[in-house]
Amino acid sequence: MLKLTLAFCAATAALMGTPALAQDAPEAGQDIIVYGALPERDDVRDAVRAVSRERGSDQPLRRYFDPICLHVTGMNARANSFVRERILANAREADVAVDDRECRANALVMVVQEPAELIALLEERQPWLITSDNRTTIDASLAAQEDVLVWHNTEDRSAQGTRLAHSATVPGATGTASPLNVSVRVNSTSRARRLGAAHSTAVVSGVVVLDMDALVGMDLERVADFATMRLLAPGLEARRHTFDVPTSVMWTFAVNEGQSELTRFDRAYLRALYGLRPNAAASVLTAAVLREYESEQ
């Protein structure tokens, strides 16, 4: 039987990485000049459009509205704690609310040796974690033998991001209209509009599953930063885009390849996503990321 908490030595030692090589420190008062050109605006736009699965002006972007309550498991206690704290620090930097108290987890990062066995175990013991729509995506990832499984469960909320109240009546119904036979969530705080969505879409839980074999030899900082992007940005589909300019920690995610930490693009993406109004449409994300990217000093 697959254990959700795994103890390992060689893999953990490899994950911890090696100390950075010593570098000569600049003399006091000496200016440090960094040369290089920023990507063109079109490059940033193309990157956002390539990695985002969400489209259109009538569907709101998906993201967390409730504070993040994160649980990391699968490595030793020290590694789990390090990855958790770094992800939470990344979240705070992007102005994502974080719950550091004893709380019910709504965000999970799991490192396992057999992802397919984990999915089978979750379906048996915690079936509510995987909806039928998510199972289709997970099955496709397993069939492609991907090293990462990611899914998010969502619910509709008001345009302001607040939870919808349950009701057995239809708002505005009068006269002979009969109440509903069951109590359902009713969006009574929003009204129909010609532009923009009358509701928002909140992530109520998110899961990132990482194949342990793919992480051997990889620094924990990189593991945490990659998990940050996949967990906090549900609309990402990074595997179909090869990042060259601008760069991203999302691709390529392999030992000795790709970026070692969150890049300027990654940070701009998260700040833009969580800086938009709750019911913001997917069509406004590209411009928001570009603004954040160019505003960073």
Side-chain angles (χ1 to χ4, degrees), residues 47-196:
V48 178
R49 292 167 181 164
V51 301
S52 179
R53 292 180 296 175
E54 299 173 296
R55 297 285 188 275
S57 58
D58 58 345
Q59 292 297 321
L61 290 161
R62 296 175 297 152
R63 66 206 124 139
Y64 280 93
F65 295 141
D66 302 326
I68 301 293
C69 182
L70 175 64
H71 182 63
V72 178
T73 186
M75 300 172 286
N76 65 21
R78 183 180 178 186
N80 288 336
S81 178
F82 179 91
V83 170
R84 179 179 181 275
E85 292 306 314
R86 187 173 176 96
I87 292 175
L88 293 181
N90 291 337
R92 293 187 185 96
E93 185 179 331
D95 287 331
V96 181
V98 168
D99 192 342
D100 251 342
R101 305 166 300 175
E102 290 293 328
C103 53
R104 182 176 180 180
N106 59 7
L108 299 174
V109 175
M110 303 182 184
V111 178
V112 300
Q113 289 180 317
E114 296 292 342
E117 292 184 17
L118 171 66
I119 297 304
L121 185 62
L122 290 178
E123 287 196 319
E124 175 186 345
R125 298 188 178 182
Q126 296 177 307
W128 57 88
L129 280 179
I130 304 177
T131 65
S132 57
D133 290 342
N134 284 330
R135 184 60 210 246
T136 300
T137 302
I138 293 170
D139 285 343
S141 296
L142 289 173
Q145 297 184 331
E146 295 177 1
D147 298 326
V148 184
L149 305 178
V150 181
W151 70 93
H152 296 82
N153 296 317
T154 62
E155 68 178 17
D156 287 343
R157 294 194 179 177
S158 72
Q160 297 76 34
T162 56
R163 293 183 182 274
L164 301 177
H166 283 75
S167 176
T169 59
V170 178
T174 59
T176 59
S178 60
L180 302 174
N181 292 327
V182 295
S183 179
V184 297
R185 286 193 177 97
V186 177
N187 190 2
S188 58
T189 61
S190 301
R191 59 183 180 179
R193 60 188 71 188
R194 295 182 63 183
L195 296 175

